[in-house]
């Protein structure tokens, strides 16, 4: 058996089984390739050069077992491998956290739009808050992108913070990334920040009832946000100004809720940031915008 024939087996099995994707891949081919390469100890982007590589019987059994387990359990591949990727960065994940898939990650890369939006002074933020941090991935990316910044990573789930602690340690950032158990801003006292980023729960109740099995493997508390998907975002908008420094900025991801948000806050001039998925998933607001509306 070769990688190519095993890949064909995986694709056919996945397509027959009606799997759902969206936790790092969007189709059967990419999902099968990721699992196979992981089982063989190969980098996830290195498929083509190995397609005709012959496999030992043990390698074939191990990879096939992982493909079969994906179908049998309906768990996202990221949980089966305990790894998720945001760009070039790998993070440990398990079922205590949702699988990272935030547009905010791409906005923070070197030439991403968050950099110029942080102010005309051109200065990098020195204090950052990642609200609803989950696995800690956005807090870590922020610390890597802004090496002079100190980052607070807050989450209500103690279990999620254990995963975040592992990732922070893996990146050797424990001295710059502080983990805080907090229900949104509640445990942060009077701390203020130059930048607050958040990928909070934003799935509305009707959508929660229709989620595919793969998404039901994730913690419900990390997904559900009330009838219209905006419960957490409302609290963030109500309390963020008190935690922003002058010139500070709030950046929040809201899924498919742009229209609902704009209807709920017709006077707020949301800045919709362009992402690979379009300009309807992430908004930005300056502290001064909040103050002018109060």
């Amino acid at each position: 058996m070769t990688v190519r024939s095993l890949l064909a087996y995986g694709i056919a099995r996945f397509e027959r089984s009606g799997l759902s994707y969206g936790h790092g891949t969007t189709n059967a081919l990419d999902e099968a390739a990721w699992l196979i390469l992981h089982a063989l100890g190969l980098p996830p982007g290195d498929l083509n050069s190995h397609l005709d590589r012959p496999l030992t019987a043990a390698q074939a059994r191990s990879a096939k077992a992982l493909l079969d387990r994906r179908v049998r359990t309906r768990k996202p591949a990221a949980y089966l491998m305990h790894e998720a990727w945001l760009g070039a960065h790998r993070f440990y994940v398990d079922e205590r956290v949702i699988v990272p898939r935030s547009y905010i990650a791409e906005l923070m890369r070197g030439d991403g739009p968050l950099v110029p939006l942080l102010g005309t002074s051109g200065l990098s933020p020195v204090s950052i808050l990642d609200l609803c941090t989950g696995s800690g991935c956005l807090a870590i990316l922020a610390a890597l992108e802004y090496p002079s910044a100190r980052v607070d990573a807050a989450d209500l789930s103690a279990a999620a913070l254990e995963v975040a602690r592992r990732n922070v340690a893996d990146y050797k950032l424990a001295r710059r990334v502080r983990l805080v158990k907090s229900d949104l801003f509640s445990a942060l006292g009077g701390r203020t920040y130059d930048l607050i980023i958040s990928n909070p729960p934003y799935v509305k109740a009707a959508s929660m009832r229709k989620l595919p099995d793969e998404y039901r493997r994730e913690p419900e508390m990390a997904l559900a946000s009330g009838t219209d998907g905006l419960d957490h975002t409302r609290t963030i908008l109500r309390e963020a100004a008190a935690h922003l420094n002058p010139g500070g900025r709030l950046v929040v991801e809201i899924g498919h809720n742009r229209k609902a948000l704009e209807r709920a806050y017709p006077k707020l001039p949301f800045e919709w940031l362009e992402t690979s998925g379009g300009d309807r998933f992430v908004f930005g607001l300056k502290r001064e915008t909040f103050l002018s509306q109060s």
Side-chain angles (χ1 to χ4, degrees), residues 39 102 152 159 202 239:
S102 175
D152 282 352
Y202 53 65
E239 300 179 6

Side-chain angles (χ1 to χ4, degrees), residues 41-70:
L42 297 171
D46 197 19
L47 174 66
N48 289 339
S49 62
H50 295 283
L51 280 172
D52 295 313
R53 172 178 173 168
L55 304 176
T56 66
Q59 287 175 324
R61 281 196 303 272
S62 174
K64 185 175 178 293
L66 193 55
L67 295 171
D68 292 341
R69 190 177 172 208
R70 172 69 177 90

Side-chain angles (χ1 to χ4, degrees), residues 13 33-34 54 57 168 174 199 202 208 211 214 224 289 293:
R13 182 92 200 275
W34 188 16
V168 169
N199 183 20
Y202 53 65
M208 285 295 298
L211 287 178
E214 284 82 352
T289 301
Q293 300 294 318

Side-chain angles (χ1 to χ4, degrees), residues 6 27 117 197 203 210 228 253 277 287:
L6 189 59
N27 57 71
L117 281 175
I197 56 176
V203 182
K210 300 175 183 177
D228 62 358
E253 188 161 339
R287 174 178 179 269

Side-chain angles (χ1 to χ4, degrees), residues 22-23 74-76 78-79 93-101 203 208 211-224:
H23 294 91
R74 287 302 200 270
K75 290 183 179 181
Y79 286 157
V93 295
D94 59 33
E95 287 161 279
R96 291 174 289 179
V97 296
I98 63 170
V99 178
R101 48 185 182 273
V203 182
M208 285 295 298
L211 287 178
D213 289 342
E214 284 82 352
Y215 290 85
R216 295 184 182 279
R217 298 295 186 268
E218 297 183 292
E220 182 177 345
M221 69 179 293
L223 298 172

Side-chain angles (χ1 to χ4, degrees), residues 16-291:
R16 286 196 308 271
S17 302
L19 300 184
S20 290
Y21 308 101
H23 294 91
T25 70
T26 59
N27 57 71
L29 188 157
D30 289 343
E31 187 97 344
W34 188 16
L35 287 161
I36 292 167
L37 291 170
H38 176 84
L40 299 177
L42 297 171
D46 197 19
L47 174 66
N48 289 339
S49 62
H50 295 283
L51 280 172
D52 295 313
R53 172 178 173 168
L55 304 176
T56 66
Q59 287 175 324
R61 281 196 303 272
S62 174
K64 185 175 178 293
L66 193 55
L67 295 171
D68 292 341
R69 190 177 172 208
R70 172 69 177 90
V71 174
R72 185 178 70 256
T73 66
R74 287 302 200 270
K75 290 183 179 181
Y79 286 157
L80 299 178
M81 300 180 290
H82 295 307
E83 72 172 25
W85 294 81
L86 287 176
H89 294 92
R90 179 192 179 278
F91 300 96
Y92 173 88
V93 295
D94 59 33
E95 287 161 279
R96 291 174 289 179
V97 296
I98 63 170
V99 178
R101 48 185 182 273
S102 175
Y103 286 115
I104 294 175
E106 66 186 57
L107 298 177
M108 284 193 295
R109 292 174 195 153
D111 58 351
L114 275 191
V115 178
L117 281 175
L118 289 173
T120 56
S121 65
L123 298 175
S124 294
V126 297
S127 56
I128 300 172
L129 169 64
D130 175 23
L131 205 58
C132 307
T133 194
S135 62
C137 56
L138 293 183
I140 290 167
L141 292 180
L144 295 175
E145 183 61 37
Y146 304 107
S148 298
R150 298 190 68 84
V151 182
D152 282 352
D155 204 286
L156 177 59
S157 168
L161 289 173
E162 286 300 313
V163 176
R165 184 168 290 107
R166 175 171 178 163
N167 283 317
V168 169
D170 286 346
Y171 280 90
K172 297 178 172 56
L173 287 169
R175 299 179 70 176
R176 291 180 49 221
V177 177
R178 183 178 77 120
L179 302 176
V180 185
K181 187 176 186 298
S182 181
D183 186 356
L184 296 178
F185 295 104
S186 64
L188 295 174
R191 294 181 71 91
T192 58
Y193 305 89
D194 300 321
L195 173 64
I196 298 173
I197 56 176
S198 184
N199 183 20
Y202 53 65
V203 182
K204 60 186 180 181
S207 297
M208 285 295 298
R209 291 192 290 269
K210 300 175 183 177
L211 287 178
D213 289 342
E214 284 82 352
Y215 290 85
R216 295 184 182 279
R217 298 295 186 268
E218 297 183 292
E220 182 177 345
M221 69 179 293
L223 298 172
S225 193
T227 301
D228 62 358
L230 294 176
D231 282 5
H232 292 78
T233 302
R234 285 189 179 89
T235 302
I236 292 170
L237 289 172
R238 185 172 63 248
E239 300 179 6
H243 294 275
L244 285 168
N245 293 325
R249 185 173 296 268
L250 170 71
V251 175
V252 180
E253 188 161 339
I254 58 154
H256 295 277
N257 296 327
R258 174 172 175 170
K259 288 183 179 179
L261 184 68
E262 290 178 327
R263 284 195 302 268
Y265 297 90
K267 295 183 179 180
L268 273 182
F270 296 104
E271 303 170 72
W272 293 98
L273 306 182
E274 187 68 40
T275 72
S276 59
D279 65 352
R280 55 196 175 93
F281 299 105
V282 181
F283 71 79
L285 284 170
K286 298 176 183 176
R287 174 178 179 269
E288 286 67 27
T289 301
F290 288 110
L291 299 181

